[in-house]
Amino acid sequence: MSRTLRYGGRTLALTASALGTLAVTAVPAAADDQPTAEQIVADCASGAGKCSFNSPEIGQAYLGKPRQVSELLYNCTASPASQSMSWADTVGSSHSVGGSVTVGGGIEGIITASVTATYNYTWQSSHTETSTFTVTVRPGEVGWISRAQVMQQISGTWQTHYDDPKWGHYYWFVPDVVTGPAPNGTDGKHNAVVVESRKMTADEKKLCSTGSTRNDVFTR
């Protein structure tokens, strides 16, 4: 995503009965005087700038990459072994300008207000799920639980207004893309929880052949 900044000068309207309306626009700032996109969004988060997230567009939902959400289960026995395992998964949001979107932070509130006003849709910057699943692992293998979350992207433009010119202007504009969790079933996509397994490595096999884990099933 391009981090190109667009700036705008405050427009002053002067009216006179004979002359109509005169518009005076600030002179563009030099390139060296321009802030980074991160600086602008940081001002939005801190409240140093009066910000809005304009024209949000919600993209098509998709299934994110699966990731491990449980401990590893090692089967050091000669038979398939099953064990009930608890798992927990929290998926947050990030944006192309400055990393993660902090829950309860200034950025989160602005995005939520913009998306709600435009789509009457409640956007959540974070989603947590927990459950218990039975994992069956073959002899000499390692098993674990993975989960994939339905995700969605929201593109828009940050507009920052300063009471006094900053970097030479009252207004700055920054394009951004926010990626975060979407409700299960959005656009026909569904969260997925799967059991995965692999062969033990040489070092892991040593754990089975020595110590208290011999002929046992253990987690790590």
Side-chain angles (χ1 to χ4, degrees):
M1 182 67 187
S2 172
R3 294 187 177 183
T4 302
L5 301 181
R6 300 197 305 277
Y7 54 80
R10 178 184 244 174
T11 300
L12 306 178
L14 308 177
T15 59
S17 57
L19 300 177
T21 300
L22 300 176
V24 181
T25 304
V27 177
D32 291 343
D33 296 331
Q34 292 188 8
T36 64
E38 289 84 353
Q39 287 175 306
I40 293 296
V41 175
D43 279 358
C44 290
S46 68
K50 299 175 182 178
C51 295
S52 59
F53 189 65
N54 296 343
S55 304
E57 295 185 6
I58 299 179
Q60 191 78 9
Y62 63 94
L63 190 62
K65 293 182 179 180
R67 60 181 186 172
Q68 180 184 331
V69 295
S70 74
E71 295 181 310
L72 296 175
L73 182 64
Y74 296 82
N75 185 359
C76 298
T77 73
S79 303
S82 298
Q83 184 168 307
S84 179
M85 299 184 70
S86 297
W87 60 266
D89 186 29
T90 297
V91 179
S93 298
S94 62
H95 59 126
S96 59
V97 170
S100 61
V101 177
T102 304
V103 176
I107 292 295
E108 180 195 40
I110 297 171
I111 298 172
T112 299
S114 177
V115 173
T116 300
T118 305
Y119 294 97
N120 193 28
Y121 167 74
T122 302
W123 176 76
Q124 293 183 330
S125 64
S126 179
H127 177 76
T128 299
E129 280 193 21
T130 60
S131 188
T132 301
F133 209 81
T134 298
V135 177
T136 300
V137 183
R138 291 189 292 267
E141 293 194 355
V142 184
W144 66 92
I145 299 170
S146 290
R147 179 177 179 273
Q149 169 71 41
V150 177
M151 305 291 287
Q152 207 163 28
Q153 291 188 328
I154 302 174
S155 59
T157 301
W158 293 102
Q159 175 182 320
T160 306
H161 169 226
Y162 298 101
D163 291 333
D164 297 306
K166 193 168 184 179
W167 296 291
H169 295 280
Y170 288 91
Y171 295 91
W172 288 92
F173 301 86
V174 179
D176 198 4
V177 177
V178 180
T179 302
N184 191 33
T186 301
D187 296 333
K189 304 297 182 181
H190 297 274
N191 300 331
V193 178
V194 297
V195 174
E196 298 189 72
S197 64
R198 60 170 173 78
K199 295 289 186 180
M200 288 187 188
T201 65
D203 288 339
E204 289 168 339
K205 289 179 179 179
K206 291 179 182 179
L207 295 175
C208 289
S209 61
T210 61
S212 60
T213 58
R214 184 181 300 163
N215 300 322
D216 198 5
V217 176
F218 68 100
T219 58
R220 186 178 66 179

